[in-house]
Amino acid sequence: MDTGSPQNAGPVGPQGTVEAAGGEPVGSQGTGEAAAGEPVWIALPPGLLRMRRLLLVVWLGLIALAAGLLPGLLAGPAWAAFALAPLALMAWGWVMTERNWRSWRYAERADDLLISRGVLWREETVVPYGRMQLVEVTSGPVERHFGLASVQLHTAAAATDATIPGLDPAEAERLRDRLTELGEARSAGL
């Protein structure tokens, strides 16, 4: 079984780590890698899914209201059927939002950070610790309301800049401090 692949990984445990079939976290937490050399994938917390779904319902709900109410009042009740398109889009978006949320994972390895995401087009970004120039923790007003923060990684090559969205603020700060410490240690040899 390929436990390093996010799409083949087991269920997500209470700490956000991917668990094996027996309920034990895959790999050891101290090294960040599984016994077979595979990384320990950490999933995003469910707060990000709740936030994105709420935004989906609010925005598409307002669009459905406007699309149904205005034509219904101005042209007749049959034209209120225009509200069905945004409502169908909301139902589809509800499912797709969860699929997208489940696709996000990150793993800390000895020399680099892996970030995996994507449903149709899988994308895996490898950010070497020695190439990190700046690690930021950001949290906008909506994210703060839901108790979330994002970690933004900047490197010398713009193509390897990466973001891990929707983390708990304490985990985001821990990750920032750890990545900064590892980045300073690795870049000292350059």
Side-chain angles (χ1 to χ4, degrees):
M1 179 171 146
D2 180 20
T3 56
S5 170
Q7 66 191 136
N8 294 333
V12 178
Q15 307 311 121
T17 57
V18 176
E19 296 179 345
E24 293 296 318
V26 176
S28 61
Q29 294 291 65
T31 62
E33 297 202 19
E38 294 292 330
V40 176
W41 291 98
I42 301 171
L44 298 183
L48 180 64
L49 178 62
R50 284 193 301 273
M51 180 188 76
R52 287 181 175 174
R53 280 184 167 170
L54 178 68
L55 291 174
L56 176 79
V57 168
V58 166
W59 286 110
L60 286 177
L62 290 174
I63 291 171
L65 183 65
L69 190 60
L70 289 177
L73 290 175
L74 298 175
W79 289 93
F82 279 116
L84 294 177
L87 292 175
L89 188 60
M90 185 187 311
W92 178 78
W94 187 271
V95 174
M96 290 298 111
T97 302
E98 182 173 356
R99 287 187 65 193
N100 179 270
W101 169 74
R102 287 190 183 281
S103 74
W104 279 86
R105 304 259 190 269
Y106 68 96
E108 300 174 57
R109 296 195 305 183
D111 296 321
D112 50 30
L113 179 74
L114 300 175
I115 302 171
S116 179
R117 64 195 169 279
V119 177
L120 294 177
W121 286 271
R122 304 277 315 147
E123 185 175 332
E124 190 167 300
T125 304
V126 179
V127 184
Y129 296 136
R131 300 291 182 197
M132 288 184 203
Q133 293 183 333
L134 176 68
V135 181
E136 290 180 302
V137 174
T138 60
S139 185
V142 176
E143 285 180 309
R144 278 195 309 274
H145 176 75
F146 283 90
L148 301 173
S150 297
V151 175
Q152 175 82 33
L153 309 164
H154 300 279
T155 64
T160 56
D161 286 359
T163 301
I164 304 173
L167 296 174
D168 294 321
E171 171 64 9
E173 290 176 14
R174 183 206 65 83
L175 189 60
R176 179 200 57 207
D177 294 343
R178 177 164 164 70
L179 294 177
T180 302
E181 178 184 314
L182 289 169
E184 289 173 356
R186 299 296 194 280
S187 67
L190 295 178

